[in-house]
Short mmCIF file of all heavy atoms in Angstrom, two decimals:
data_model
loop_
_atom_site.label_atom_id
_atom_site.label_comp_id
_atom_site.label_asym_id
_atom_site.label_seq_id
_atom_site.Cartn_x
_atom_site.Cartn_y
_atom_site.Cartn_z
N PHE O 5 120.06 108.08 77.27
CA PHE O 5 119.59 106.84 76.67
C PHE O 5 118.94 107.16 75.34
O PHE O 5 118.25 108.14 75.20
CB PHE O 5 118.55 106.15 77.57
CG PHE O 5 119.09 105.77 78.91
CD1 PHE O 5 118.49 106.26 80.07
CD2 PHE O 5 120.19 104.95 79.01
CE1 PHE O 5 118.98 105.91 81.29
CE2 PHE O 5 120.67 104.60 80.25
CZ PHE O 5 120.08 105.08 81.38
N ASN O 34 132.60 97.13 67.66
CA ASN O 34 133.61 97.10 68.73
C ASN O 34 135.01 97.40 68.21
O ASN O 34 135.85 97.94 68.95
CB ASN O 34 133.57 95.74 69.44
CG ASN O 34 132.44 95.65 70.45
OD1 ASN O 34 132.15 96.61 71.16
ND2 ASN O 34 131.77 94.51 70.50
N LYS O 43 135.81 109.30 68.29
CA LYS O 43 134.71 109.57 67.36
C LYS O 43 133.43 108.88 67.82
O LYS O 43 132.36 109.48 67.86
CB LYS O 43 135.08 109.09 65.96
CG LYS O 43 133.93 109.22 64.95
CD LYS O 43 134.30 108.62 63.61
CE LYS O 43 133.11 108.66 62.66
NZ LYS O 43 133.42 108.04 61.35
N GLU O 111 103.81 98.45 73.60
CA GLU O 111 104.37 98.38 72.25
C GLU O 111 103.40 98.94 71.20
O GLU O 111 103.24 98.38 70.11
CB GLU O 111 104.75 96.94 71.90
CG GLU O 111 105.86 96.39 72.78
CD GLU O 111 106.42 95.06 72.29
OE1 GLU O 111 105.97 94.56 71.24
OE2 GLU O 111 107.33 94.53 72.95
N MET O 123 118.19 93.58 71.01
CA MET O 123 118.63 94.79 71.70
C MET O 123 120.11 95.02 71.43
O MET O 123 120.94 94.18 71.77
CB MET O 123 118.39 94.66 73.20
CG MET O 123 118.89 95.85 74.02
SD MET O 123 118.01 97.37 73.62
CE MET O 123 116.36 96.94 74.14
N TYR O 139 115.84 90.63 72.37
CA TYR O 139 115.14 91.64 73.16
C TYR O 139 114.54 91.06 74.44
O TYR O 139 114.75 91.58 75.54
CB TYR O 139 114.04 92.27 72.30
CG TYR O 139 113.25 93.36 72.95
CD1 TYR O 139 113.83 94.59 73.27
CD2 TYR O 139 111.89 93.19 73.23
CE1 TYR O 139 113.09 95.61 73.86
CE2 TYR O 139 111.15 94.19 73.82
CZ TYR O 139 111.74 95.40 74.13
OH TYR O 139 111.01 96.40 74.72
N GLU O 140 113.80 89.95 74.33
CA GLU O 140 113.10 89.41 75.49
C GLU O 140 114.04 88.83 76.53
O GLU O 140 113.63 88.62 77.68
CB GLU O 140 112.09 88.34 75.06
CG GLU O 140 112.69 87.13 74.39
CD GLU O 140 112.77 87.26 72.88
OE1 GLU O 140 112.89 88.40 72.37
OE2 GLU O 140 112.70 86.22 72.20
N PRO O 152 104.01 102.04 81.88
CA PRO O 152 104.87 100.91 82.24
C PRO O 152 105.90 100.62 81.16
O PRO O 152 105.55 100.50 79.98
CB PRO O 152 103.88 99.74 82.38
CG PRO O 152 102.56 100.38 82.55
CD PRO O 152 102.61 101.65 81.78
N GLU O 181 95.48 91.30 74.46
CA GLU O 181 94.72 92.54 74.34
C GLU O 181 95.10 93.52 75.44
O GLU O 181 95.18 94.72 75.24
CB GLU O 181 93.22 92.24 74.38
CG GLU O 181 92.34 93.47 74.20
CD GLU O 181 90.87 93.12 74.18
OE1 GLU O 181 90.53 91.93 74.08
OE2 GLU O 181 90.05 94.06 74.27
N LEU O 195 103.32 92.02 96.93
CA LEU O 195 103.16 93.12 97.88
C LEU O 195 103.18 92.62 99.32
O LEU O 195 102.63 91.57 99.64
CB LEU O 195 101.84 93.86 97.62
CG LEU O 195 101.73 94.64 96.32
CD1 LEU O 195 100.34 95.25 96.20
CD2 LEU O 195 102.79 95.73 96.22
N LYS O 196 103.79 93.40 100.18
CA LYS O 196 103.77 93.13 101.61
C LYS O 196 102.56 93.84 102.22
O LYS O 196 102.00 94.75 101.61
CB LYS O 196 105.06 93.63 102.25
CG LYS O 196 106.32 92.94 101.73
CD LYS O 196 107.56 93.56 102.35
CE LYS O 196 108.82 92.91 101.77
NZ LYS O 196 110.06 93.54 102.31
N LYS O 211 89.67 106.88 87.17
CA LYS O 211 90.01 108.29 87.14
C LYS O 211 91.52 108.46 87.06
O LYS O 211 92.23 108.07 87.98
CB LYS O 211 89.50 108.99 88.41
CG LYS O 211 89.87 110.48 88.46
CD LYS O 211 89.42 111.10 89.76
CE LYS O 211 89.86 112.55 89.85
NZ LYS O 211 89.50 113.16 91.15
N SER O 213 95.15 109.95 87.39
CA SER O 213 95.70 110.84 88.40
C SER O 213 96.14 112.16 87.79
O SER O 213 96.66 112.21 86.68
CB SER O 213 96.90 110.16 89.08
OG SER O 213 97.44 110.99 90.08
N ALA O 237 84.04 104.09 101.59
CA ALA O 237 83.50 103.04 100.73
C ALA O 237 84.57 102.06 100.32
O ALA O 237 84.33 100.85 100.27
CB ALA O 237 82.84 103.67 99.50
N ARG O 260 96.41 107.94 93.40
CA ARG O 260 95.22 107.96 92.56
C ARG O 260 94.53 109.30 92.50
O ARG O 260 93.84 109.63 91.53
CB ARG O 260 94.22 106.89 93.06
CG ARG O 260 94.74 105.47 93.00
CD ARG O 260 94.89 104.96 91.58
NE ARG O 260 93.60 104.80 90.92
CZ ARG O 260 92.84 103.72 91.01
NH1 ARG O 260 93.24 102.69 91.74
NH2 ARG O 260 91.69 103.64 90.38
N SER O 312 82.44 99.81 89.93
CA SER O 312 82.29 98.44 89.44
C SER O 312 82.71 97.43 90.51
O SER O 312 83.57 97.71 91.35
CB SER O 312 83.14 98.22 88.19
OG SER O 312 84.52 98.19 88.51
N LEU O 316 85.96 97.38 93.12
CA LEU O 316 85.76 97.21 94.56
C LEU O 316 86.48 95.97 95.08
O LEU O 316 87.02 95.97 96.18
CB LEU O 316 84.26 97.11 94.86
CG LEU O 316 83.45 98.40 94.69
CD1 LEU O 316 81.96 98.12 94.86
CD2 LEU O 316 83.91 99.48 95.67
N LYS O 348 81.70 97.89 120.14
CA LYS O 348 81.05 96.59 120.30
C LYS O 348 79.60 96.71 120.73
O LYS O 348 78.80 95.80 120.51
CB LYS O 348 81.84 95.73 121.29
CG LYS O 348 83.17 95.24 120.73
CD LYS O 348 83.88 94.31 121.70
CE LYS O 348 85.16 93.77 121.09
NZ LYS O 348 85.88 92.85 122.01
N HIS O 349 79.25 97.84 121.34
CA HIS O 349 77.86 98.01 121.77
C HIS O 349 76.97 98.52 120.63
O HIS O 349 75.76 98.64 120.79
CB HIS O 349 77.78 98.99 122.95
CG HIS O 349 78.16 100.39 122.59
ND1 HIS O 349 79.42 100.76 122.20
CD2 HIS O 349 77.41 101.54 122.58
CE1 HIS O 349 79.45 102.06 121.97
NE2 HIS O 349 78.24 102.56 122.20
#
Side-chain angles (χ1 to χ4, degrees):
F5 299 122
N34 280 321
K43 174 185 176 182
E111 296 191 1
M123 177 64 64
Y139 182 68
E140 62 269 30
E181 182 177 348
L195 293 177
K196 298 176 183 177
K211 178 183 176 183
S213 181
R260 298 291 292 274
S312 72
L316 289 174
K348 288 184 177 180
H349 67 295

